Amino acid sequence: LPPAGVCCAAAKRDRTHRRPPGGRCILFNTGAGQHILKNPLVVNSIIEKAALRRTDVILEVGPGTGNLTVKMLEKVKKVIACEIDPRLVGELQKRVQGMSLANKLEIRVGDVLKTDLPFFDACVANLPYQISSPFVFKLLLHRPFFRCAILMFQREFALRLVAKPGTKLYCRLSINTQLLARVDHLMKVGKNNFRPPPKVESSVVRIEPKNPPPPVNFQEWDGLVRIAFVRKNKTLSAAFKSSAVEQLLDHNYRIHCSLHNTKIPENFKIAEKIQAVLENTGYSEKRARSMDIDDFISLLHGFNAEGIHFS
């Protein structure tokens, strides 16, 4: 074998190659979000902010070569590491082999988005960035509740999570996440802290689920918010004039009336009923970009009270 760190001729040209001492060449798949966190100071800071407990079961997604994993094993009862790449699973297994902590590690191989999450107390992860949004909502809808999640995201995604009404980055992701959790931006992480470096800057975010959750049907809520944020700078009156939106709500309204034995007038027009709800609730001329959680809860109740549903 060539010296550690120079695994082949390609390694000299391509920084995505790595060979651990005594190991074999790893070609990181940056297209799959494989950017290994290499700075031990950042690793230690993440673990410190997670406030891990000796009794904790930790969920880690995308452990890579185990830089974060090994440090957590020293502090908790168990780490459940979910990894989709069998090559990295092999590297992680070799890294803990012979260690006294090895029996505290459970590795699950596969796509975390397609499997049920195990029980865990906290989630700590340097996530593959392309699964950020679906994974956040898989986490937030998971039961039983977990204490918190400390997650690495692409910087702009992280800033969208914490964005407030009226700001440029405020969007459907912002309000949906903040409905279900308290979200805090903890620290910025530069691209040079990773191997290979990603093209974007990163941030670490803390997500703490609201327990108990808000008394809202999330599918209904998301249906309303989705319509409002398609064009967040439009008035709600304009946003609801889409023919696709009218067809959906007309269909849902007719099902509602059928279930409740309510007769629908022959000259019924869903557009008129939608506009009446918007005006009666005072949101006709409001724009999604400046509406907060309480505004959308009030609007959703207004629609539901008139038999209009979004799921």
Side-chain angles (χ1 to χ4, degrees), residues 14-29:
D14 184 355
R15 292 179 65 192
T16 64
H17 280 69
R18 173 180 179 265
R19 185 176 69 79
R24 55 190 170 77
C25 167
I26 304 171
L27 179 61
F28 292 118
N29 183 356

Side-chain angles (χ1 to χ4, degrees), residues 191-211:
K191 59 181 76 172
N192 292 329
N193 292 288
F194 299 88
R195 185 187 60 250
K199 294 178 180 178
V200 295
E201 303 293 340
S202 303
S203 284
V204 177
V205 170
R206 175 186 171 90
I207 299 176
E208 184 180 336
K210 292 180 181 176
N211 185 10

Side-chain angles (χ1 to χ4, degrees), residues 131-148:
I131 71 167
S132 295
S133 186
F135 182 71
V136 164
F137 289 103
K138 187 179 181 76
L139 264 187
L140 291 177
L141 297 174
H142 175 69
R143 299 294 181 270
F145 284 99
F146 57 96
R147 186 172 72 250
C148 72

Side-chain angles (χ1 to χ4, degrees), residues 250 253-254 263-273:
D250 183 71
Y253 181 72
R254 291 179 185 279
K263 187 175 180 180
I264 302 175
E266 289 184 15
N267 61 348
F268 173 78
K269 292 181 180 177
I270 191 68
E272 294 176 358
K273 195 167 187 68

Side-chain angles (χ1 to χ4, degrees), residues 32-54:
Q34 290 180 354
H35 298 280
I36 306 303
L37 182 59
K38 67 179 184 179
N39 187 335
L41 295 177
V42 177
V43 169
N44 289 338
S45 185
I46 288 172
I47 290 174
E48 180 185 332
K49 291 177 185 301
L52 302 178
R53 304 170 185 171
R54 286 283 174 194

Side-chain angles (χ1 to χ4, degrees), residues 18 26 28 33-37 60-70 81-96 105 107 125-128 195:
R18 173 180 179 265
I26 304 171
F28 292 118
Q34 290 180 354
H35 298 280
I36 306 303
L37 182 59
E60 184 183 13
V61 178
T65 55
N67 293 344
L68 194 55
T69 318
V70 171
C82 300
E83 176 57 64
I84 198 170
D85 188 338
R87 301 170 311 142
L88 292 179
V89 169
E91 292 299 326
L92 184 55
Q93 288 172 329
K94 282 195 294 183
R95 183 162 182 177
V96 301
L105 175 64
I107 302 176
N126 170 27
L127 279 181
R195 185 187 60 250

Side-chain angles (χ1 to χ4, degrees), residues 121-309:
D121 297 294
C123 178
V124 183
N126 170 27
L127 279 181
Y129 291 165
Q130 56 268 58
I131 71 167
S132 295
S133 186
F135 182 71
V136 164
F137 289 103
K138 187 179 181 76
L139 264 187
L140 291 177
L141 297 174
H142 175 69
R143 299 294 181 270
F145 284 99
F146 57 96
R147 186 172 72 250
C148 72
I150 307 295
L151 304 173
M152 182 86 73
F153 294 118
Q154 181 177 331
R155 176 80 48 80
E156 184 171 316
F157 183 89
L159 294 178
R160 288 182 186 277
L161 286 178
V162 300
K164 299 303 179 188
T167 61
K168 183 180 178 182
L169 291 177
Y170 186 61
C171 61
R172 177 172 153 240
L173 172 69
S174 318
I175 196 166
N176 276 355
T177 307
Q178 292 168 34
L179 172 76
L180 300 173
R182 176 185 169 186
V183 193
D184 297 298
H185 184 282
L186 298 182
M187 64 179 180
K188 298 177 180 179
V189 182
K191 59 181 76 172
N192 292 329
N193 292 288
F194 299 88
R195 185 187 60 250
K199 294 178 180 178
V200 295
E201 303 293 340
S202 303
S203 284
V204 177
V205 170
R206 175 186 171 90
I207 299 176
E208 184 180 336
K210 292 180 181 176
N211 185 10
V216 174
N217 178 315
F218 185 73
Q219 281 66 39
E220 279 268 318
W221 164 275
D222 188 47
L224 168 61
V225 169
R226 187 187 298 266
I227 292 167
F229 275 94
V230 166
R231 294 286 183 272
K232 68 177 182 179
N233 295 323
K234 278 188 171 185
T235 64
L236 290 190
S237 182
F240 276 86
K241 283 190 168 71
S242 154
S243 58
V245 170
E246 290 180 355
Q247 287 174 17
L248 170 68
L249 298 186
D250 183 71
H251 174 73
N252 290 352
Y253 181 72
R254 291 179 185 279
I255 291 175
H256 172 84
C257 290
S258 174
L259 292 172
H260 292 83
N261 296 317
T262 302
K263 187 175 180 180
I264 302 175
E266 289 184 15
N267 61 348
F268 173 78
K269 292 181 180 177
I270 191 68
E272 294 176 358
K273 195 167 187 68
I274 291 170
Q275 188 59 31
V277 171
L278 290 173
E279 289 177 0
N280 291 340
T281 54
Y283 291 106
S284 177
E285 298 304 309
K286 297 283 188 181
R287 301 168 201 272
R289 69 184 184 199
S290 59
M291 293 173 62
D292 62 17
I293 288 171
D294 290 340
D295 289 328
F296 278 104
I297 288 177
S298 176
L299 181 58
L300 181 60
H301 286 162
F303 275 116
N304 289 170
E306 292 298 321
I308 297 177
H309 293 270

